[in-house]
Amino acid sequence: MDTVTLRIKRYDGVKEWYQEYQLPYEKGKTLLYSLTKIREELDPTLTFSAACRHAICGSCAVRVNGNAFLACKTSLDQLLETFETERLTLEPLNNFPVIRDLVVDWEPKLERMKAVRPWLIPSEDGDPSEGFRQSPEDFRKIASPTDCILCGICSSECGQLSLNQEGYLDPFILNKAYRFAVDSRDAAPEEHIRPALEKGLWKCLHCMECVTKCPKEIDLAGENAYLRQASIQMGERDNKGARHAYAFVEDVKSKGRLNEVTLPMKTEGFVSTMNRIPFALRLIRKGKINPLHMPREVEGIEGVRKIYEHAQGVKEP
Amino acid sequence: MRYGFFPGCTLESAAKELMISTKKVAAALGIELVELEGWTCCGASHIQDVDDFLATSINARNIALAEQLDAPLLTVCNTCTLMLRTAKQKLDRNEQLKKRVNQGLAEAGVEYRGTVEITHFLWVLVKDYGLDRLKEKVKRPLEGLKVANFYGCHILRPPQIMGFENPLNPQSMERVAEALGAECVDFDQRLACCGFHAVFPAEKEVMKLTGINCLSSKDAGADCLVTPCPLCQMQLDMYQPDAQRGFDQDITVPILHLPQLVGLALGFEPAELGIGRHIVDAIPLLRKKLVTA
C-alpha cells in the first residue's frame, strides 16, 4: 500500500460535499496525524478540532466509515485493517449540529446537560471551608464515570438519540446524572435522576453502542440500569419501562419463563392492549401465539423462588 | 459435538419455528443438543433494571445446569447469549459475588463453578463445526439467493463480553451464508439495532427503525434478511405491517432465522423449517429462487 485515501465530508456553512485527499502511507500513525498532515500540506481550509493528542481533552472525535473514534487515540493501521480498505470516509459526529467540516457545536448539548443538575448538591457532612471527606470505597464509585472527557462519541452512536433528538438525553448526560447520584457527598440524588427519568430514561434501545465505542470504557449501559433501579426505588414504578421490567421479574418467579401473552397487558394496561388486537390476531393466524397457552412451572421452580428470597436480602458487592 | 441447549423463552411460543429449525438442522449436522432441564428466562436485558444481583443469580443457575451436563451452553438468541455471558463474566471476576450468588443457589441445590463456555449457534458453525464441513453437508446450494445479514446488537456488543469477532466489521454471518452458496449484499443497517427491547416504551422510534432496517436491505437488492437472533426476527417480521404505516415506500422483505437459512441449504423444505409461520411470507420467494423448494 503506497497511498491512503481519506474521503472527508466538508461543510462551509452553506453547502456540503465530499472531498478526497491522498496521503502517502506511513506505518504507525494516528488518524489525527493524517488530518493534521492534510491541513498542513494539502488543504489549509480543512477544519477539525483537536488539542491534547492524549485522549484527555475530548475534542477530536470524528466518524470513520460510520463509527465514531477519538482521532488522537485511533491507529490508522487499525482502521485500514478493520475495514479492509485503503480508503476511509470521515464525517463529523452524528446527532450534533455541524459548524464547519468536522467541527460540531457543543453549546446546545451543554445547555441540555444542565437538566440533570451536573454539579454537587452538597450534603451536610462537610462544608466548603472544611472540605468533604470521602472514603476510598465511595471514591471508587465515581472513579469510572468521572473519566468522561465529553468527546461526544456516545451521543453520535446512540441508537435512541439517532431517532429522537428531543425526547432522550445523550449518554454522557446520563453519565453525569449517575456520577452525582452515586457521589457520597451529594445530598440529593433524586434531583439528578428525576430529570433523566422524565427525559426518556426507559427509551434506551439496549443497543450497547455507547459502551462499545466509549474511548474511556465507561459502563454506560450499567449506569443506565442503576438509574432505572434508583428511579424505581424513588417510587417511579408506574411507567411502561418499569412495568415491562417487572413483568419479567414476576414471570420468572412464578413459572420460570416469560408469558408472552400477558406481557403487553402487564406493560401497557388494558386499554392500550386493546389497540393491539389486530397485531395479536395477525400472530394468532400464523400460530405465533396461542392466547390459551399457559406456561407450566419449570422443573426446579421452588429453587428459583428460593434464589429470589436470597436475592432480596443481598446487595450486590 | 454435544451442547447444553438453552432455547430461551421465545422458542416456546412466538418463535417456535426457530425451535423446530434449530433441532432439525443440528440433527442433520450431527450436533447433539441436550435441552437444559429447568432453564429459566435469562432476564432478556430487563431484570437487571430492577435487581442486578437477581439477574446474575438466575443466570448463574442457568449456567450451573449446563455445568451439570459438563457441556458448553449453546443458545440461538443474541440477548440470551449476552445475558448469560454477562453473568459469567461478573461471577468469574468477582469471588465475593460468586460466593454470595452460590449461597442462594445452594438453597436451590445447585452450584455455579464457572467450568463451561457460553456460545451461540452462529459461533458454533464457524468455530466448532467449521465452514468446510458445513459446505460438505450442503445439498441445495442457495445460488442466486441474495441475503442481507442482520447481526443484531447483542451478538457483537459489547465486545468486552462477546468478543467473538470485531464488532465494527464482523464477517461470520457472511462466511456462513457464502458457505451455503448464497450471495451476500452489503447494506447500511447491517450492524444496526432492531429496537426490540424498547418496543413498548419507545414504540414510535422503534417502528421507524424497523422500516429503516427493512428498506436498507431492500435498497441493497436483498431478497430476504437473515438474523441470528429471534428478537430481531420478531421485531422485523411481526411488526413489519405496523412499521409500513409510517412509510410511503414498500418496506416488505421476508425475515429468516439463521438456522432456517442453513436448513434450506441442507435440503429441508421451507414448511419443515416453520417458514410458513412468518408474518411476511417468504415461501413465494423461496419457490422462485430455490431449485426444488
Side-chain angles (χ1 to χ4, degrees), chain B residues 70 91 211 230:
Chain B
D70 197 21
L91 292 161

Side-chain angles (χ1 to χ4, degrees), chain B residues 72-87:
Chain B
L73 187 157
L74 178 147
T75 85
V76 284
C77 172
N78 290 5
T79 298
C80 292
T81 312
L82 175 60
M83 293 300 106
L84 291 159
R85 288 180 72 90
T86 301

Side-chain angles (χ1 to χ4, degrees), chain B residues 95-133:
Chain B
E95 269 303 315
Q96 201 191 351
L97 174 66
K98 187 169 139 184
K99 205 173 141 198
R100 288 198 194 178
V101 164
N102 267 332
Q103 283 164 357
L105 263 57
E107 294 181 34
V110 283
E111 185 192 0
Y112 173 85
R113 287 176 294 151
T115 52
V116 300
E117 282 307 310
I118 293 149
T119 189
H120 184 287
F121 178 71
L122 170 63
W123 301 351
V124 166
L125 286 182
V126 174
K127 197 172 152 217
D128 301 0
Y129 196 77
L131 296 175
D132 289 337
R133 213 166 139 199

Side-chain angles (χ1 to χ4, degrees), chain A residues 29-316:
Chain A
K29 299 298 184 187
T30 64
L31 179 60
L32 181 58
Y33 172 87
S34 311
L35 285 170
T36 309
K37 200 168 168 74
I38 292 172
R39 187 166 64 188
E40 287 179 354
E41 296 179 12
L42 299 176
D43 184 352
T45 71
L46 178 69
T47 311
F48 58 91
S49 53
C52 77
R53 298 182 296 162
H54 288 85
I56 283 298
C57 77
S59 60
C60 66
V62 293
R63 269 189 306 152
V64 182
N65 289 15
N67 299 275
F69 295 92
L70 212 52
C72 69
K73 192 180 179 245
T74 303
S75 138
L76 190 65
D77 291 322
Q78 236 165 42
L79 290 174
L80 300 172
E81 192 187 321
T82 295
F83 297 112
E84 299 171 275
T85 180
E86 292 166 16
R87 184 186 148 95
L88 299 168
T89 298
L90 272 64
E91 292 162 315
L93 291 181
N94 201 14
N95 300 325
F96 279 82
V98 180
I99 298 174
R100 188 169 291 254
D101 296 343
L102 301 174
V103 180
V104 297
D105 188 2
W106 270 87
E107 268 321 301
K109 296 287 187 194
L110 298 176
E111 275 304 311
R112 298 192 90 200
M113 191 159 76
K114 290 180 185 167
V116 300
R117 308 191 71 186
W119 49 77
L120 200 75
I121 302 170
S123 71
E124 288 173 2
D125 295 342
D127 66 63
S129 57
E130 296 277 317
F132 292 80
R133 299 189 74 81
Q134 190 166 44
S135 69
E137 193 185 313
D138 282 335
F139 173 73
R140 270 195 290 277
K141 290 183 188 160
I142 61 166
S144 169
T146 49
D147 278 347
C148 175
I149 55 172
L150 297 180
C151 65
I153 285 177
C154 56
S155 300
S156 176
E157 307 299 273
C158 174
Q160 175 58 244
L161 208 61
S162 299
L163 296 158
N164 174 20
Q165 300 248 354
E166 289 308 311
Y168 190 65
L169 290 174
D170 303 64
F172 74 84
I173 300 181
L174 294 170
N175 173 64
K176 276 287 184 232
Y178 173 84
R179 176 251 171 279
F180 288 103
V182 299
D183 194 316
S184 62
R185 300 162 300 174
D186 194 285
E190 283 200 31
E191 295 196 30
H192 309 294
I193 296 167
R194 196 168 295 281
L197 177 68
E198 286 165 0
K199 204 78 171 166
L201 179 61
W202 288 94
K203 285 181 176 246
C204 164
L205 300 183
H206 301 224
C207 68
M208 301 288 167
E209 287 282 9
C210 56
V211 264
T212 299
K213 307 280 174 66
C214 174
K216 294 293 169 182
E217 298 187 30
I218 300 171
D219 180 16
L220 295 156
E223 293 182 4
N224 260 7
Y226 174 90
L227 292 173
R228 294 186 209 118
Q229 286 167 27
S231 73
I232 289 169
Q233 278 152 23
M234 282 156 45
E236 296 292 346
R237 254 191 80 165
D238 195 20
N239 58 66
K240 281 186 193 176
R243 287 195 300 261
H244 194 59
Y246 268 100
F248 284 84
V249 172
E250 287 160 6
D251 281 358
V252 175
K253 188 178 182 183
S254 132
K255 299 286 169 67
R257 289 173 201 169
L258 180 67
N259 185 337
E260 287 176 342
V261 176
T262 56
L263 182 65
M265 191 81 92
K266 286 183 177 176
T267 303
E268 299 192 302
F270 182 73
V271 177
S272 296
T273 303
M274 289 301 105
N275 296 331
R276 293 200 187 271
I277 286 179
F279 174 77
L281 290 175
R282 188 193 303 157
L283 303 193
I284 291 167
R285 267 199 300 274
K286 290 280 187 164
K288 290 196 83 84
I289 54 168
N290 173 2
L292 303 175
H293 171 75
M294 288 300 289
R296 278 179 316 210
E297 290 178 351
V298 300
E299 182 76 27
I301 187 69
E302 302 81 10
V304 173
R305 290 176 193 147
K306 283 182 183 152
I307 290 170
Y308 267 65
E309 274 172 39
H310 174 74
Q312 268 196 327
V314 173
K315 272 198 90 176
E316 186 159 356

